[in-house]
Amino acid sequence: MTSVLDPNASVTLRVGPEQAGQRLDKALALLAGEISRARLQQVIKEGGVRLNGAVASDASRKVVEGDELALVMPEAKPAEPIAQDIPLDVVYEDEHLIVIDKPAGLVVHPAGGHEDGTLVNALIAHCGESLSGIGGVRRPGIVHRLDKDTSGLLVVAKNDQAHQKLAKQFADHGRTGPLQRAYLAIVWGTPRLREGTIDAPIERSNRNREKMMVVKEGRGREAITHIELIERYPPLLKGLDETEPLASLIECRLETGRTHQIRVHMSHIGHPLLGDQLYGSGFATKAVRLPAEAQAALAALGRQALHAAILGFAHPATGEEMLFESEPPADFANLQAALATL
């Protein structure tokens, strides 16, 4: 069956009542599902969309129910990211791989709006042509990624063999091997259980293409997060849960690795991350209940309170089990310290 993602294959889509009256680009985004609106706008500009048999070049044109849209996705153009001298916090490096402690604010790979100044640009400068897939792959050596505003550990392959073997481990999600990924998250309130599992599939939102959302079983992609309560703020008093917790420190271990998974799952159970403007905007007013020092620390954080603290995997060449740990950066630690005084 032809997919909307297949390059150079024409896929016919029909406008239904849900898309009627929408702009062409928005209607396509709703119908195509897996393709961003920004990407579809580019495809429209390049003549890759036909409306009732005629090329449609105006993304703002309104569609009506019954309109037939033919979409042809062009071949992806090979990227040629440039080398840039961007400082890297290298935790470990050998001829096969490099482990980086990524700072918050650093984008992992070039994309729309971030064509340079990324981790890939820094890696090209640091590693030269030893990175896997160099000269044609948009994410040379990148096996997994972290959101721009998430700090912490990330492994990058330096040759194709290492890339393939690491990718296989990440695809297996540690179910049959030693792969480990654990994050520290500061969330609003406290989950009901000290330990638990969130098993809820995720797909991209049709209303906001920047967001992911939990969907019913049978839709989306499998997403499983194991959580454990590490600390709550304020702490339990004399063993009695008499004080409503404002926030908690949670360890989240990934069994799958979907986009924004931890942020989506924690919001889904009613405990979004502090500082998460995308998934926790409804909790913004709760910040006024924090003491002045904690409010200042949260404002200084300026991002979601999420840090990739533990990363473990089997070395792709030797098979040795490797485990790395990263202490939270100063902005995260300062927020922890301020909350601990509640």
Side-chain angles (χ1 to χ4, degrees):
M1 182 177 179
T2 303
S3 164
V4 292
L5 295 176
D6 293 342
N8 298 324
S10 179
V11 177
T12 301
L13 305 167
R14 192 169 296 278
V15 175
E18 300 84 0
Q19 301 86 36
Q22 301 283 1
R23 289 167 48 111
L24 174 61
D25 56 348
K26 186 172 182 180
L28 272 172
L30 293 171
L31 289 165
E34 298 176 272
I35 308 170
S36 73
R37 188 170 170 184
R39 176 68 177 123
L40 287 167
Q41 288 172 345
Q42 186 63 33
V43 174
I44 292 169
K45 189 181 297 184
E46 294 174 359
V49 176
R50 288 180 174 270
L51 174 61
N52 299 325
V55 174
S57 56
D58 182 4
S60 65
R61 177 174 177 172
K62 299 294 179 63
V63 298
V64 299
E65 186 175 356
D67 276 347
E68 186 177 275
L69 303 175
L71 172 65
V72 179
M73 293 297 295
E75 291 276 3
K77 297 178 181 178
E80 296 181 359
I82 60 173
Q84 291 180 302
D85 187 14
I86 300 170
L88 291 175
D89 184 355
V90 178
V91 177
Y92 174 86
E93 182 176 11
D94 62 23
E95 62 184 304
H96 303 284
L97 58 87
I98 180 171
V99 177
I100 303 294
D101 200 339
K102 187 188 86 67
L106 180 63
V107 175
V108 170
H109 59 84
H114 298 284
E115 296 300 332
D116 58 15
T118 71
L119 177 62
V120 164
N121 299 106
L123 288 167
I124 292 172
H126 180 86
C127 303
E129 295 190 2
S130 68
L131 283 175
S132 79
I134 206 74
V137 178
R138 197 160 183 75
R139 288 173 280 179
I142 302 298
V143 179
H144 64 123
R145 69 177 189 175
L146 300 176
D147 293 343
K148 172 189 172 185
D149 291 326
T150 298
S151 56
L153 296 167
L154 185 141
V155 61
V156 178
K158 293 176 68 176
N159 57 63
D160 289 339
Q161 184 179 23
H163 196 169
Q164 291 168 4
K165 290 189 175 181
L166 284 170
K168 187 175 181 180
Q169 292 186 58
F170 276 83
D172 181 62
H173 305 301
R175 288 165 175 158
T176 61
L179 183 73
Q180 294 187 55
R181 285 177 294 169
Y183 294 69
L184 292 176
I186 303 176
V187 306
W188 289 112
T190 295
R192 183 172 55 87
L193 299 176
R194 293 187 66 87
E195 295 184 23
T197 296
I198 306 169
D199 185 348
I202 290 173
E203 70 178 18
R204 191 169 297 278
S205 168
N206 286 330
R207 295 183 178 181
N208 183 346
R209 304 300 294 175
E210 293 183 2
K211 293 184 70 172
M212 307 298 289
M213 64 180 186
V214 167
V215 293
K216 294 180 180 179
E217 188 175 350
R219 292 177 53 193
R221 302 182 69 187
E222 180 186 38
I224 301 173
T225 307
H226 304 284
I227 64 172
E228 179 182 355
L229 175 65
I230 304 300
E231 189 174 3
R232 48 167 278 174
Y233 315 106
L236 291 174
L237 300 176
K238 298 180 181 178
L240 299 176
D241 192 3
E242 297 174 341
T243 307
E244 178 190 359
L246 282 175
S248 301
L249 178 66
I250 305 292
E251 181 184 85
C252 302
R253 288 187 175 264
L254 294 181
E255 187 173 322
T256 57
R258 308 306 176 207
T259 300
H260 299 174
Q261 179 173 315
I262 292 172
R263 298 166 64 190
V264 175
H265 272 174
M266 295 310 301
S267 178
H268 174 65
I269 66 170
H271 301 285
L273 276 61
L274 271 68
D276 194 337
Q277 299 299 315
L278 191 59
Y279 296 102
S281 58
F283 282 67
T285 55
K286 202 165 186 177
V288 301
R289 296 177 57 190
L290 297 173
E293 183 181 354
Q295 288 189 44
L298 179 56
L301 183 73
R303 62 181 180 95
Q304 67 265 8
L306 186 62
H307 176 67
I310 298 175
L311 177 63
F313 53 86
H315 193 284
T318 67
E320 176 189 357
E321 292 189 13
M322 311 189 76
L323 184 65
F324 301 93
E325 297 188 30
S326 166
E327 291 295 324
D331 58 356
F332 191 105
N334 289 341
L335 178 58
Q336 276 185 270
L339 291 170
T341 62
L342 293 178

PDB file of all heavy atoms in Angstrom, residues 43-69:
ATOM      1  N   VAL A  43       6.156  21.591  -0.022  1.00  0.00           N
ATOM      2  CA  VAL A  43       5.770  20.714  -1.132  1.00  0.00           C
ATOM      3  C   VAL A  43       4.784  21.433  -2.056  1.00  0.00           C
ATOM      4  O   VAL A  43       4.878  21.330  -3.287  1.00  0.00           O
ATOM      5  CB  VAL A  43       5.155  19.405  -0.593  1.00  0.00           C
ATOM      6  CG1 VAL A  43       4.607  18.555  -1.731  1.00  0.00           C
ATOM      7  CG2 VAL A  43       6.204  18.619   0.181  1.00  0.00           C
ATOM      8  N   ILE A  44       3.831  22.159  -1.463  1.00  0.00           N
ATOM      9  CA  ILE A  44       2.879  22.936  -2.269  1.00  0.00           C
ATOM     10  C   ILE A  44       3.626  23.956  -3.119  1.00  0.00           C
ATOM     11  O   ILE A  44       3.367  24.111  -4.320  1.00  0.00           O
ATOM     12  CB  ILE A  44       1.846  23.637  -1.355  1.00  0.00           C
ATOM     13  CG1 ILE A  44       0.937  22.599  -0.691  1.00  0.00           C
ATOM     14  CG2 ILE A  44       1.024  24.648  -2.147  1.00  0.00           C
ATOM     15  CD1 ILE A  44       0.059  23.164   0.414  1.00  0.00           C
ATOM     16  N   LYS A  45       4.579  24.650  -2.521  1.00  0.00           N
ATOM     17  CA  LYS A  45       5.357  25.662  -3.227  1.00  0.00           C
ATOM     18  C   LYS A  45       6.133  25.064  -4.399  1.00  0.00           C
ATOM     19  O   LYS A  45       6.330  25.701  -5.441  1.00  0.00           O
ATOM     20  CB  LYS A  45       6.319  26.349  -2.249  1.00  0.00           C
ATOM     21  CG  LYS A  45       7.033  27.571  -2.807  1.00  0.00           C
ATOM     22  CD  LYS A  45       7.980  28.171  -1.773  1.00  0.00           C
ATOM     23  CE  LYS A  45       7.219  28.661  -0.547  1.00  0.00           C
ATOM     24  NZ  LYS A  45       8.138  29.328   0.414  1.00  0.00           N
ATOM     25  N   GLU A  46       6.565  23.801  -4.221  1.00  0.00           N
ATOM     26  CA  GLU A  46       7.350  23.140  -5.259  1.00  0.00           C
ATOM     27  C   GLU A  46       6.484  22.426  -6.300  1.00  0.00           C
ATOM     28  O   GLU A  46       6.993  21.731  -7.182  1.00  0.00           O
ATOM     29  CB  GLU A  46       8.298  22.127  -4.609  1.00  0.00           C
ATOM     30  CG  GLU A  46       9.366  22.775  -3.725  1.00  0.00           C
ATOM     31  CD  GLU A  46      10.197  21.756  -2.970  1.00  0.00           C
ATOM     32  OE1 GLU A  46       9.920  20.538  -3.118  1.00  0.00           O
ATOM     33  OE2 GLU A  46      11.121  22.164  -2.235  1.00  0.00           O
ATOM     34  N   GLY A  47       5.151  22.580  -6.201  1.00  0.00           N
ATOM     35  CA  GLY A  47       4.266  21.997  -7.205  1.00  0.00           C
ATOM     36  C   GLY A  47       3.929  20.537  -6.977  1.00  0.00           C
ATOM     37  O   GLY A  47       3.501  19.838  -7.914  1.00  0.00           O
ATOM     38  N   GLY A  48       4.052  20.072  -5.750  1.00  0.00           N
ATOM     39  CA  GLY A  48       3.816  18.662  -5.466  1.00  0.00           C
ATOM     40  C   GLY A  48       2.390  18.322  -5.083  1.00  0.00           C
ATOM     41  O   GLY A  48       2.102  17.186  -4.702  1.00  0.00           O
ATOM     42  N   VAL A  49       1.470  19.301  -5.177  1.00  0.00           N
ATOM     43  CA  VAL A  49       0.076  19.054  -4.810  1.00  0.00           C
ATOM     44  C   VAL A  49      -0.845  19.466  -5.956  1.00  0.00           C
ATOM     45  O   VAL A  49      -0.699  20.553  -6.537  1.00  0.00           O
ATOM     46  CB  VAL A  49      -0.315  19.829  -3.527  1.00  0.00           C
ATOM     47  CG1 VAL A  49      -1.800  19.651  -3.217  1.00  0.00           C
ATOM     48  CG2 VAL A  49       0.529  19.359  -2.344  1.00  0.00           C
ATOM     49  N   ARG A  50      -1.794  18.585  -6.285  1.00  0.00           N
ATOM     50  CA  ARG A  50      -2.813  18.892  -7.289  1.00  0.00           C
ATOM     51  C   ARG A  50      -4.179  18.892  -6.625  1.00  0.00           C
ATOM     52  O   ARG A  50      -4.497  18.002  -5.825  1.00  0.00           O
ATOM     53  CB  ARG A  50      -2.786  17.878  -8.433  1.00  0.00           C
ATOM     54  CG  ARG A  50      -1.567  18.035  -9.340  1.00  0.00           C
ATOM     55  CD  ARG A  50      -1.575  17.018 -10.474  1.00  0.00           C
ATOM     56  NE  ARG A  50      -0.501  17.263 -11.400  1.00  0.00           N
ATOM     57  CZ  ARG A  50      -0.573  18.042 -12.471  1.00  0.00           C
ATOM     58  NH1 ARG A  50      -1.732  18.640 -12.756  1.00  0.00           N
ATOM     59  NH2 ARG A  50       0.456  18.223 -13.259  1.00  0.00           N
ATOM     60  N   LEU A  51      -4.962  19.901  -6.952  1.00  0.00           N
ATOM     61  CA  LEU A  51      -6.318  20.029  -6.439  1.00  0.00           C
ATOM     62  C   LEU A  51      -7.284  19.814  -7.585  1.00  0.00           C
ATOM     63  O   LEU A  51      -7.310  20.597  -8.548  1.00  0.00           O
ATOM     64  CB  LEU A  51      -6.516  21.413  -5.812  1.00  0.00           C
ATOM     65  CG  LEU A  51      -7.928  21.774  -5.344  1.00  0.00           C
ATOM     66  CD1 LEU A  51      -8.417  20.813  -4.268  1.00  0.00           C
ATOM     67  CD2 LEU A  51      -7.985  23.214  -4.833  1.00  0.00           C
ATOM     68  N   ASN A  52      -8.023  18.717  -7.516  1.00  0.00           N
ATOM     69  CA  ASN A  52      -8.957  18.360  -8.597  1.00  0.00           C
ATOM     70  C   ASN A  52      -8.280  18.360  -9.962  1.00  0.00           C
ATOM     71  O   ASN A  52      -8.823  18.830 -10.959  1.00  0.00           O
ATOM     72  CB  ASN A  52     -10.170  19.307  -8.599  1.00  0.00           C
ATOM     73  CG  ASN A  52     -10.965  19.227  -7.302  1.00  0.00           C
ATOM     74  OD1 ASN A  52     -11.084  18.160  -6.714  1.00  0.00           O
ATOM     75  ND2 ASN A  52     -11.482  20.365  -6.843  1.00  0.00           N
ATOM     76  N   GLY A  53      -7.035  17.832  -9.970  1.00  0.00           N
ATOM     77  CA  GLY A  53      -6.307  17.648 -11.220  1.00  0.00           C
ATOM     78  C   GLY A  53      -5.402  18.787 -11.627  1.00  0.00           C
ATOM     79  O   GLY A  53      -4.564  18.632 -12.528  1.00  0.00           O
ATOM     80  N   ALA A  54      -5.529  19.954 -10.998  1.00  0.00           N
ATOM     81  CA  ALA A  54      -4.705  21.112 -11.353  1.00  0.00           C
ATOM     82  C   ALA A  54      -3.696  21.392 -10.245  1.00  0.00           C
ATOM     83  O   ALA A  54      -4.015  21.246  -9.055  1.00  0.00           O
ATOM     84  CB  ALA A  54      -5.586  22.340 -11.571  1.00  0.00           C
ATOM     85  N   VAL A  55      -2.486  21.800 -10.637  1.00  0.00           N
ATOM     86  CA  VAL A  55      -1.461  22.126  -9.648  1.00  0.00           C
ATOM     87  C   VAL A  55      -1.952  23.245  -8.749  1.00  0.00           C
ATOM     88  O   VAL A  55      -2.439  24.282  -9.223  1.00  0.00           O
ATOM     89  CB  VAL A  55      -0.142  22.545 -10.336  1.00  0.00           C
ATOM     90  CG1 VAL A  55       0.868  23.023  -9.303  1.00  0.00           C
ATOM     91  CG2 VAL A  55       0.437  21.385 -11.129  1.00  0.00           C
ATOM     92  N   ALA A  56      -1.840  23.033  -7.438  1.00  0.00           N
ATOM     93  CA  ALA A  56      -2.269  24.025  -6.452  1.00  0.00           C
ATOM     94  C   ALA A  56      -1.042  24.607  -5.779  1.00  0.00           C
ATOM     95  O   ALA A  56      -0.327  23.908  -5.061  1.00  0.00           O
ATOM     96  CB  ALA A  56      -3.190  23.381  -5.422  1.00  0.00           C
ATOM     97  N   SER A  57      -0.769  25.873  -6.017  1.00  0.00           N
ATOM     98  CA  SER A  57       0.442  26.494  -5.474  1.00  0.00           C
ATOM     99  C   SER A  57       0.165  27.477  -4.343  1.00  0.00           C
ATOM    100  O   SER A  57       1.078  28.061  -3.780  1.00  0.00           O
ATOM    101  CB  SER A  57       1.193  27.223  -6.598  1.00  0.00           C
ATOM    102  OG  SER A  57       0.353  28.174  -7.229  1.00  0.00           O
ATOM    103  N   ASP A  58      -1.112  27.670  -4.015  1.00  0.00           N
ATOM    104  CA  ASP A  58      -1.493  28.616  -2.960  1.00  0.00           C
ATOM    105  C   ASP A  58      -1.903  27.835  -1.713  1.00  0.00           C
ATOM    106  O   ASP A  58      -2.988  27.249  -1.657  1.00  0.00           O
ATOM    107  CB  ASP A  58      -2.648  29.495  -3.448  1.00  0.00           C
ATOM    108  CG  ASP A  58      -3.058  30.540  -2.411  1.00  0.00           C
ATOM    109  OD1 ASP A  58      -2.391  30.625  -1.351  1.00  0.00           O
ATOM    110  OD2 ASP A  58      -4.058  31.260  -2.650  1.00  0.00           O
ATOM    111  N   ALA A  59      -1.033  27.839  -0.710  1.00  0.00           N
ATOM    112  CA  ALA A  59      -1.298  27.072   0.513  1.00  0.00           C
ATOM    113  C   ALA A  59      -2.484  27.605   1.287  1.00  0.00           C
ATOM    114  O   ALA A  59      -3.093  26.880   2.082  1.00  0.00           O
ATOM    115  CB  ALA A  59      -0.058  27.076   1.405  1.00  0.00           C
ATOM    116  N   SER A  60      -2.857  28.875   1.073  1.00  0.00           N
ATOM    117  CA  SER A  60      -3.941  29.493   1.841  1.00  0.00           C
ATOM    118  C   SER A  60      -5.314  29.276   1.207  1.00  0.00           C
ATOM    119  O   SER A  60      -6.333  29.641   1.795  1.00  0.00           O
ATOM    120  CB  SER A  60      -3.688  30.987   2.003  1.00  0.00           C
ATOM    121  OG  SER A  60      -3.733  31.639   0.737  1.00  0.00           O
ATOM    122  N   ARG A  61      -5.338  28.673   0.032  1.00  0.00           N
ATOM    123  CA  ARG A  61      -6.614  28.438  -0.645  1.00  0.00           C
ATOM    124  C   ARG A  61      -7.514  27.523   0.182  1.00  0.00           C
ATOM    125  O   ARG A  61      -7.064  26.514   0.717  1.00  0.00           O
ATOM    126  CB  ARG A  61      -6.347  27.817  -2.023  1.00  0.00           C
ATOM    127  CG  ARG A  61      -7.600  27.460  -2.795  1.00  0.00           C
ATOM    128  CD  ARG A  61      -7.279  26.995  -4.191  1.00  0.00           C
ATOM    129  NE  ARG A  61      -8.472  26.591  -4.921  1.00  0.00           N
ATOM    130  CZ  ARG A  61      -8.488  26.293  -6.214  1.00  0.00           C
ATOM    131  NH1 ARG A  61      -7.353  26.348  -6.907  1.00  0.00           N
ATOM    132  NH2 ARG A  61      -9.605  25.930  -6.810  1.00  0.00           N
ATOM    133  N   LYS A  62      -8.795  27.860   0.283  1.00  0.00           N
ATOM    134  CA  LYS A  62      -9.724  27.058   1.064  1.00  0.00           C
ATOM    135  C   LYS A  62     -10.223  25.865   0.230  1.00  0.00           C
ATOM    136  O   LYS A  62     -10.408  25.980  -0.989  1.00  0.00           O
ATOM    137  CB  LYS A  62     -10.917  27.901   1.506  1.00  0.00           C
ATOM    138  CG  LYS A  62     -10.545  29.094   2.393  1.00  0.00           C
ATOM    139  CD  LYS A  62      -9.983  28.635   3.724  1.00  0.00           C
ATOM    140  CE  LYS A  62      -9.584  29.796   4.630  1.00  0.00           C
ATOM    141  NZ  LYS A  62     -10.715  30.646   5.016  1.00  0.00           N
ATOM    142  N   VAL A  63     -10.414  24.750   0.901  1.00  0.00           N
ATOM    143  CA  VAL A  63     -10.909  23.552   0.223  1.00  0.00           C
ATOM    144  C   VAL A  63     -12.347  23.287   0.652  1.00  0.00           C
ATOM    145  O   VAL A  63     -12.804  23.790   1.684  1.00  0.00           O
ATOM    146  CB  VAL A  63     -10.030  22.321   0.542  1.00  0.00           C
ATOM    147  CG1 VAL A  63      -8.615  22.530   0.039  1.00  0.00           C
ATOM    148  CG2 VAL A  63     -10.027  22.032   2.046  1.00  0.00           C
ATOM    149  N   VAL A  64     -13.054  22.509  -0.171  1.00  0.00           N
ATOM    150  CA  VAL A  64     -14.438  22.175   0.134  1.00  0.00           C
ATOM    151  C   VAL A  64     -14.588  20.660   0.178  1.00  0.00           C
ATOM    152  O   VAL A  64     -13.766  19.919  -0.363  1.00  0.00           O
ATOM    153  CB  VAL A  64     -15.414  22.770  -0.908  1.00  0.00           C
ATOM    154  CG1 VAL A  64     -15.330  24.273  -0.927  1.00  0.00           C
ATOM    155  CG2 VAL A  64     -15.138  22.199  -2.295  1.00  0.00           C
ATOM    156  N   GLU A  65     -15.622  20.198   0.836  1.00  0.00           N
ATOM    157  CA  GLU A  65     -15.855  18.759   0.945  1.00  0.00           C
ATOM    158  C   GLU A  65     -15.973  18.130  -0.434  1.00  0.00           C
ATOM    159  O   GLU A  65     -16.653  18.660  -1.323  1.00  0.00           O
ATOM    160  CB  GLU A  65     -17.123  18.493   1.747  1.00  0.00           C
ATOM    161  CG  GLU A  65     -17.364  17.024   2.021  1.00  0.00           C
ATOM    162  CD  GLU A  65     -18.552  16.773   2.928  1.00  0.00           C
ATOM    163  OE1 GLU A  65     -19.150  17.765   3.412  1.00  0.00           O
ATOM    164  OE2 GLU A  65     -18.895  15.591   3.144  1.00  0.00           O
ATOM    165  N   GLY A  66     -15.283  17.014  -0.622  1.00  0.00           N
ATOM    166  CA  GLY A  66     -15.296  16.308  -1.902  1.00  0.00           C
ATOM    167  C   GLY A  66     -14.120  16.644  -2.786  1.00  0.00           C
ATOM    168  O   GLY A  66     -13.877  15.935  -3.781  1.00  0.00           O
ATOM    169  N   ASP A  67     -13.377  17.716  -2.478  1.00  0.00           N
ATOM    170  CA  ASP A  67     -12.184  18.035  -3.269  1.00  0.00           C
ATOM    171  C   ASP A  67     -11.216  16.851  -3.249  1.00  0.00           C
ATOM    172  O   ASP A  67     -11.043  16.186  -2.227  1.00  0.00           O
ATOM    173  CB  ASP A  67     -11.463  19.267  -2.701  1.00  0.00           C
ATOM    174  CG  ASP A  67     -12.048  20.571  -3.207  1.00  0.00           C
ATOM    175  OD1 ASP A  67     -12.836  20.532  -4.168  1.00  0.00           O
ATOM    176  OD2 ASP A  67     -11.713  21.631  -2.635  1.00  0.00           O
ATOM    177  N   GLU A  68     -10.576  16.602  -4.397  1.00  0.00           N
ATOM    178  CA  GLU A  68      -9.593  15.522  -4.500  1.00  0.00           C
ATOM    179  C   GLU A  68      -8.189  16.123  -4.523  1.00  0.00           C
ATOM    180  O   GLU A  68      -7.901  16.986  -5.349  1.00  0.00           O
ATOM    181  CB  GLU A  68      -9.837  14.703  -5.765  1.00  0.00           C
ATOM    182  CG  GLU A  68      -8.956  13.471  -5.878  1.00  0.00           C
ATOM    183  CD  GLU A  68      -9.290  12.644  -7.111  1.00  0.00           C
ATOM    184  OE1 GLU A  68     -10.214  11.820  -7.034  1.00  0.00           O
ATOM    185  OE2 GLU A  68      -8.627  12.844  -8.149  1.00  0.00           O
ATOM    186  N   LEU A  69      -7.365  15.680  -3.584  1.00  0.00           N
ATOM    187  CA  LEU A  69      -6.001  16.196  -3.479  1.00  0.00           C
ATOM    188  C   LEU A  69      -5.025  15.089  -3.831  1.00  0.00           C
ATOM    189  O   LEU A  69      -5.089  13.987  -3.260  1.00  0.00           O
ATOM    190  CB  LEU A  69      -5.724  16.694  -2.059  1.00  0.00           C
ATOM    191  CG  LEU A  69      -6.664  17.768  -1.510  1.00  0.00           C
ATOM    192  CD1 LEU A  69      -6.337  18.057  -0.053  1.00  0.00           C
ATOM    193  CD2 LEU A  69      -6.562  19.029  -2.336  1.00  0.00           C
TER     194      LEU A  69
END
